[in-house]
Amino acid sequence: MLMWFVFLGSIVWLGIKSLFSSYGDRVTRFLVMSSLAVVVYLWAMNIFYAPGTVVLFLTFFFTGLFMASTAVAHISINKLFEFIKYPKIGFISTMVGVIVLVAVVGLSYVVFEQGRASVSFQKALTAVTQNADAETAEAKILDAIRLSKRDIYYRSLAQLNLSKINTLIAAANGQKEVTEAQRTEFQTRTANAVEAARLAQLSDPLRLENQLIVAQVYSAIVPIGVEGSYEAAKTGYEEANKVSPRNPQVYLALAQLAASNKDLKA
């Protein structure tokens, strides 16, 4: 924590010096001032909000750009160290530089992939909310999961399959006989929903939504008498209650579950 204060304090000090220093040509001054403005904005986003990976990456990128521009403008103190005079230190420094470079490249790749995943997920949300296109939404969510294994992607996939399960159940209630195609799709959707919900739960077991989605999937199939669904749903809500013991949503869900199973004593 202390190092963070030192780091941010040095940026603030460089920013103040940049505002009151006379230096360089107009291009250098523009580079320093513009990068300073971006750095202030991005660090404010990081301090007052919960930043995503892309925002965090941009924050450190522009912070480095700002510090480099202050060095070019001779605002920060520059010291020249000749490694040729100290070959051992030069070798160690080179190795450290290579390791840092590899780490930065690897991190950049991860950030890039997570950015692509976020874009795919946003397209999925647009497909559902604006176009009611569940198939496109499912494909985009699967693309996002291939790029980044985040719990929100798994949870959204489970919710999408759960919505389809509810649609199939509603359609079957109005029919005299369920077709083989409907039965097969129901089984597939249920399996997919359970798998996605379980993966969301494993990704972040302390998040209430991830515990609830497992119980909600099983709860949806309780009214049609699927064997073991009531017990699995009840267990899911009990696990959710451990995560958030005072949340009335869990108790209400347990009551609704008992009612759907015609267990009025519970």
Side-chain angles (χ1 to χ4, degrees):
M1 183 62 72
L2 178 62
M3 294 303 297
W4 275 109
F5 281 115
V6 173
F7 176 68
L8 292 175
S10 64
I11 295 174
V12 171
W13 174 243
L14 277 176
I16 294 172
K17 286 184 67 176
S18 301
L19 292 173
F20 296 100
S21 298
S22 56
Y23 49 86
D25 53 22
R26 295 176 62 183
V27 175
T28 303
R29 185 172 185 82
F30 171 78
L31 181 61
V32 172
M33 290 293 101
S34 59
S35 60
L36 173 61
V38 174
V39 165
V40 170
Y41 174 76
L42 289 174
W43 275 111
M45 289 283 291
N46 280 271
I47 292 171
F48 296 108
Y49 299 96
T53 308
V54 176
V55 173
L56 196 62
F57 172 77
L58 291 174
T59 301
F60 282 100
F61 174 80
F62 280 101
T63 299
L65 181 63
F66 168 66
M67 297 180 77
S69 65
T70 58
V72 171
H74 301 290
I75 297 172
S76 57
I77 299 173
N78 301 321
K79 291 185 178 181
L80 181 64
F81 188 86
E82 296 183 9
F83 289 117
I84 194 170
K85 294 182 179 179
Y86 308 94
K88 291 183 178 180
I89 296 177
F91 174 76
I92 294 172
S93 299
T94 302
M95 290 298 297
V96 170
V98 171
I99 293 171
V100 170
L101 179 61
V102 171
V104 169
V105 172
L107 179 61
S108 299
Y109 175 76
V110 171
V111 170
F112 177 71
E113 291 294 278
Q114 291 187 350
R116 288 178 60 198
S118 180
V119 170
S120 292
F121 184 64
Q122 290 301 320
K123 290 180 178 178
L125 294 179
T126 301
V128 170
T129 57
Q130 296 184 10
N131 304 323
D133 187 352
E135 291 184 6
T136 299
E138 184 176 11
K140 292 300 180 183
I141 292 174
L142 289 172
D143 286 342
I145 290 173
R146 278 191 286 270
L147 295 168
S148 179
K149 314 296 184 186
R150 293 182 61 190
D151 64 315
I152 188 173
Y153 302 155
Y154 287 123
R155 193 167 66 248
S156 298
L157 182 61
Q159 289 168 339
L160 201 63
N161 280 283
L162 179 57
S163 176
K164 188 62 178 177
I165 290 169
N166 290 328
T167 301
L168 289 168
I169 293 174
N173 287 335
Q175 299 175 199
K176 292 182 178 180
E177 187 177 349
V178 177
T179 65
E180 187 62 31
Q182 287 176 315
R183 185 177 290 107
T184 301
E185 185 176 5
F186 174 80
Q187 293 171 347
T188 302
R189 290 291 178 179
T190 301
N192 290 344
V194 169
E195 182 184 15
R198 291 294 186 191
L199 288 170
Q201 186 184 49
L202 289 172
S203 297
D204 188 356
L206 297 180
R207 191 178 184 90
L208 177 62
E209 292 87 343
N210 294 339
Q211 297 292 347
L212 286 176
I213 188 62
V214 175
Q216 288 166 353
V217 170
Y218 284 112
S219 295
I221 58 179
V222 168
I224 61 174
V226 175
E227 185 179 356
S229 59
Y230 175 72
E231 291 76 13
K234 187 177 180 181
T235 301
Y237 284 126
E238 288 171 349
E239 291 298 318
N241 189 51
K242 292 178 183 178
V243 174
S244 183
R246 297 183 179 180
N247 194 316
Q249 180 184 358
V250 179
Y251 294 103
L252 178 60
L254 279 168
Q256 291 172 336
L257 175 65
S260 68
N261 196 47
K262 296 181 174 57
D263 185 7
L264 300 180
K265 291 183 181 180

